[in-house]
Amino acid sequence: MPISWKGMLQQYAGRLHREHSSKTDVRIIDIVDTGHPALLRMWPTRQRGDPAMQYRTEAEAAP
């Protein structure tokens, strides 16, 4: 679901991090649709939320 608000991002990520006996790792993959202007504008806002949650970002070049 497209989101840009930092609080919503933190809420969704927090749900993924809830403890569960069979869960060992959590990986959140953020995909940016560069072909849609509104979705592309949301990306910088989400990037600002990553450090607040102590996440690191790995940018990979498309093949």
Side-chain angles (χ1 to χ4, degrees):
M1 174 169 34
I3 59 170
S4 64
W5 182 52
K6 185 173 82 169
M8 181 82 58
L9 180 65
Q10 289 174 336
Q11 182 180 22
Y12 288 167
R15 290 177 180 167
L16 294 171
H17 284 287
R18 287 184 187 158
E19 290 191 26
H20 189 275
S21 60
S22 65
K23 187 187 320 181
T24 57
D25 293 321
V26 174
R27 180 175 294 193
I28 298 173
I29 300 173
D30 189 357
I31 299 173
V32 181
D33 185 348
T34 58
H36 192 284
L39 298 176
L40 185 58
R41 283 191 304 269
M42 293 179 185
W43 171 239
T45 307
R46 288 197 310 274
Q47 280 187 305
R48 286 192 297 270
D50 291 345
M53 295 184 294
Q54 299 178 351
Y55 286 162
R56 71 181 198 292
T57 302
E58 295 180 15
E60 295 183 5

